[in-house]
């Protein structure tokens, strides 16, 4: 009897789950062995100390408390619970300024003792065990004061991008075609305009649709429109005043707006991906001083491709579209190794910065706008979050979701306008 497509997908899901459970069993067995060894060492040390005072080892082994002795070995599970409680205290007290002062490090030193046991054998940080593990989210205290700045743009803002190398620096772009670079001053009390770059396209005088900051911090990539033979992409050099804006000659997209540009996380290759209304996903790779495009696919999506991102684990390019599809294109095999369809259009995708298998997709579904996926589980999502949007019926507004550096929180704007912060450890939505 031939298996149906649904049965095959279910089998793949169960096999992935089985592998995961086997990994967790081995992990906990190893942890149990270490705990038993630690317990035995503690008993031996305690017996040695007490034997120097009086021969009372039998009382210890039988579980009786010795008179005048305050030492009680902690069970291993109790140590973990106290570490978790301390972790929440760290979040409550030390995270207060992080939402308004980008220069403050988001990783408290004490938190490392919890994280270092969660690295897998392949070297990636595993957050999957924490997803939906708590009945209540950890509260995040934040600064309530707000600093309002004049954007120095003549038209509506389009993007805001943080520098990957300087936490005091960010940029803005707008429909006037200018890109402004800002420097944060006095721990976030205000920001100073450092430079303003005219990035309008040469023919149609179009503004940048999206901008990505190069990982080295020295340049930007801006994308435009593929119509009317205009330039589709430009490199903005922040440290070269003579060649500050360089428009590339290659034009791999065939029509419409180029919606998104994103640098890939692979350290060995200097590359980024673009996607657009022409259903195409294009990978651009640095060749000496030039950027050369490679069209990955044009027919896997049946509508506009809205977002693109790279998965570090498998050299896979994830794309999401208005056709409700999530496509994972494997660069080595040159096939769509991941293919999932939702009930609502997809607007953007961002990979988790710590767990290399997780990524979040923004959708247009009310109260279910954010969906968390594990690339190993190809037929289901792991978690979802959302909100009631009251001031507008539009569910396709650019809400620019972003992860916290520790991979535990996802933040998103809305058309209300309200900024929402979700804890992936919370089992609610």
């Amino acid at each position: 009897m031939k298996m149906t497509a649904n049965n095959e997908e279910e089998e793949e899901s169960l096999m992935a789950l089985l592998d995961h459970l086997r990994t967790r069993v081995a992990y906990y067995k190893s942890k149990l062995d270490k705990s038993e060894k630690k317990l035995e060492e503690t008993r031996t040390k305690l017996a040695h100390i007490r034997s120097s005072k009086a021969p009372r080892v039998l009382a210890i082994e039988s579980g009786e408390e010795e008179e005048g002795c305050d030492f009680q070995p902690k069970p291993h599970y109790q140590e973990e619970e106290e570490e978790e409680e301390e972790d929440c205290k760290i979040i409550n007290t030390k995270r207060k300024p992080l939402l308004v002062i980008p220069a403050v490090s988001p990783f408290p030193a004490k938190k490392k003792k919890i994280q270092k046991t969660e690295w897998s054998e392949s070297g990636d940080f595993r957050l999957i065990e924490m997803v939906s593990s708590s009945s209540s989210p950890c509260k995040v205290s934040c600064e309530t004061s707000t600093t309002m700045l004049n954007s120095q743009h003549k038209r509506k803002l389009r993007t805001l991008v943080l520098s990957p190398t300087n936490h005091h620096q960010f940029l803005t772009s707008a429909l006037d075609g200018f890109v402004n670079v800002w420097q944060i001053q006095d721990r976030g009390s205000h920001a100073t305009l450092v430079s303003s770059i005219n990035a309008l396209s040469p023919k149609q005088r179009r503004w940048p649709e999206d901008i990505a900051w190069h990982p080295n911090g020295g340049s930007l990539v801006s994308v435009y429109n593929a119509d009317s033979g205009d330039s589709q992409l430009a490199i903005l050099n922040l440290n070269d005043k003579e060649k500050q804006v360089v428009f590339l000659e290659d034009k791999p997209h065939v029509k419409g707006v180029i919606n998104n540009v994103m640098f890939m996380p692979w350290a060995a290759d200097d590359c980024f991906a673009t996607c657009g209304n022409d259903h195409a996903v294009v990978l651009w790779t640095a060749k000496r001083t030039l950027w050369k495009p490679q069209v990955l696919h044009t027919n896997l999506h049946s509508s506009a491709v809205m977002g693109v991102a790279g998965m570090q684990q498998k050299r896979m390019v994830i794309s999401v579209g208005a056709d409700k599809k999530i496509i994972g294109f494997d660069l080595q095999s040159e096939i769509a190794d991941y293919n999932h369809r939702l009930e609502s259009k997809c607007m953007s995708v961002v990979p988790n910065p710590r767990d290399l298998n997780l990524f979040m997709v923004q959708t247009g579904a009310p109260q279910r706008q954010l969906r968390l996926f594990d690339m190993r589980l190809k037929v289901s999502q792991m978690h979802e979050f959302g909100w009631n949007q009251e001031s507008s019926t539009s569910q396709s507004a650019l809400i620019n979701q972003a992860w916290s550096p520790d991979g535990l929180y996802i933040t998103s704007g809305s058309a209300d306008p309200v900024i929402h912060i979700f804890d992936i450890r919370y089992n609610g939505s």
Side-chain angles (χ1 to χ4, degrees), residues 88-106:
C88 289
K89 292 178 182 177
I90 292 172
I91 294 175
N92 288 337
T93 58
K94 294 192 176 183
R95 279 189 171 244
K96 183 174 182 179
L98 295 189
L99 297 179
V100 294
I101 306 176
V104 178
S105 173

Side-chain angles (χ1 to χ4, degrees), residues 15 40 81 101 106 129 162 286 325 359 395 408 427:
M15 289 296 293
E40 190 62 33
E81 289 177 354
I101 306 176
E129 292 83 8
L162 304 179
K325 287 183 179 180
F359 60 93
Q395 298 294 332
L408 297 177
N427 58 20

Side-chain angles (χ1 to χ4, degrees), residues 279-302:
H279 311 177
V281 173
V282 180
L283 185 68
W284 301 71
T285 305
K287 306 279 187 184
R288 297 182 181 177
T289 59
L290 301 176
W291 292 92
K292 288 299 180 183
Q294 174 192 357
V295 179
L296 298 183
H297 55 84
T298 59
N299 57 1
L300 296 180
H301 286 279
S302 58

Side-chain angles (χ1 to χ4, degrees), residues 259-260 275-277 303-308 319-322 346-349:
N259 293 310
N260 188 217
C275 61
N277 286 0
S303 187
V305 186
M306 304 303 297
V308 65
S319 58
V320 298
C346 305
M347 307 305 298
S348 66
V349 56

